[in-house]
Each structure stands twice: as structure tokens, then as C-alpha cells.
Amino acid sequence: MGTAERRGTSEDSVTRERASRVPEETDRGIPVDGGGAKANGWAREERRPLWVEEPATHRRLPDPVRTAAVRAVLIIAVTLIQAMVAFLATLAGSWLAFPMVISSVFSTVMATWGVLDVWVTRQVWNQRNGVVSTPSSTARALRRERRRARRQARVTERAQERIRRQSGAGQLSHS
């Protein structure tokens, strides 16, 4: 049975249930009776879906960056658990407190490394695969000027080459 069929059957049962009610009964403060709804100025409540699917606004993370992020989250989770166990063992006066504090310090260093790994992996991926960027208007203007200068240099070079070819075309010997 598909979602639409399920939805249809649940709406049918809701409609039957509402029809069997007394007209003065209200549902969440909204009168059920159509005439009473108009008379009181209440609008009938529409059934909304539980969630609405929207297109993603951000692109998906690249695979190496996502892998590094998952690894960092796992390391951070273990670090937090170790820190909590170390704290509780210290409060209880257990012999386990000292080893847990030492391992928590080590795990904190590892968690910091994990976060830096995500950052470095993201930077490396962006550098290797390019980044979508919009240059500022000044950068665009500078590039435009450089292109114009190169184009002008090519035009003058072609003109000079043409002049050299034309001046040497009628001579039999080079003197």
C-alpha cells in the first residue's frame, strides 16, 4: 500500500469521525460545523504533511572531507565520554580516576587533531579541485585591462610583421 493510499484511508477515517461528532464540538478551538465556522469567523483547519521536502541549499561535502568530519565527530564523542567517566571516577575517589584523566588529556589532543584534519582536508580539496568564487569588481577590471593590453600588443606586433614583409617583397637582394 502506497503513501497516497494510506493517506486516503486515514483521511476517510478522520472525515467519518468528524461527521459522527456533534456539531457544537470543537477541534482545537475550531468549530467543526460549517455554518458555525462561518458565523464565528473561524477557518477550518487544513491537514498539513508532517514534513515538506525542500531542495538542499548547500552542496554535499566532498567524500574525503566528509570522512574526516565523521572521524572527528567520533573522536570528540569518545573524548567527552572519557572526560565524563574521569570526572565521575574522581568524585567517587576510584583508582580509575588517574588513568582516565591521562587518557582524557590524550583524547583531547586527538580531538583537536581531528578538527584540524577536517579543516586541512577541506582546504586541500578546495585547492586541488577549485573553488567557486566570484572575483571582486577591481579584480575583474584589472584582468580586463591586462587583456586589453595583450590584445593591443598582438595587434601592433602583427602590424609590424606586415610592414616588414611588405618592405622586403620588392627587393631582389638584401643590402
Side-chain angles (χ1 to χ4, degrees):
M1 175 183 276
T3 307
E5 294 165 337
R6 268 189 250 128
R7 189 178 299 143
T9 56
S10 65
E11 285 177 0
D12 292 342
S13 64
V14 169
T15 308
R16 273 185 254 134
E17 179 189 346
R18 284 189 179 166
S20 67
R21 287 187 190 166
V22 180
E24 286 79 30
E25 272 187 307
T26 60
D27 186 21
R28 296 185 197 148
I30 301 172
V32 177
D33 182 32
K38 292 177 185 173
N40 293 335
W42 292 96
R44 189 168 215 180
E45 182 181 358
E46 295 283 327
R47 286 256 183 225
R48 290 179 298 182
L50 291 176
W51 66 85
V52 177
E53 290 187 24
E54 297 175 356
T57 55
H58 297 290
R59 292 179 322 194
R60 188 172 151 166
L61 281 175
D63 286 338
V65 179
R66 194 171 336 107
T67 304
V70 168
R71 188 172 43 238
V73 166
L74 290 175
I75 292 171
I76 290 170
V78 169
T79 301
L80 290 174
I81 291 170
Q82 280 183 334
M84 189 172 57
V85 169
F87 176 71
L88 293 175
T90 304
L91 287 179
S94 171
W95 64 271
L96 195 59
F98 183 70
M100 286 307 294
V101 167
I102 297 298
S103 70
S104 292
V105 169
F106 177 72
S107 289
T108 303
V109 171
M110 292 299 294
T112 306
W113 170 83
V115 171
L116 286 174
D117 181 42
V118 172
W119 183 65
V120 168
T121 306
R122 185 171 175 265
Q123 295 298 325
V124 167
W125 193 89
N126 284 341
Q127 189 175 10
R128 285 184 184 162
N129 300 307
V131 183
V132 177
S133 63
T134 54
S136 65
S137 58
T138 55
R140 237 182 260 128
L142 288 172
R143 275 203 314 270
R144 209 174 289 132
E145 283 296 320
R146 276 189 242 126
R147 267 190 245 122
R148 225 179 264 138
R150 272 183 279 169
R151 206 175 297 128
Q152 188 62 36
R154 273 185 269 153
V155 167
T156 55
E157 187 180 328
R158 283 189 203 127
Q160 291 295 326
E161 187 64 33
R162 214 176 298 122
I163 290 171
R164 276 190 232 122
R165 273 189 269 136
Q166 286 176 355
S167 64
Q171 294 178 352
L172 293 175
S173 62
H174 300 285
S175 45

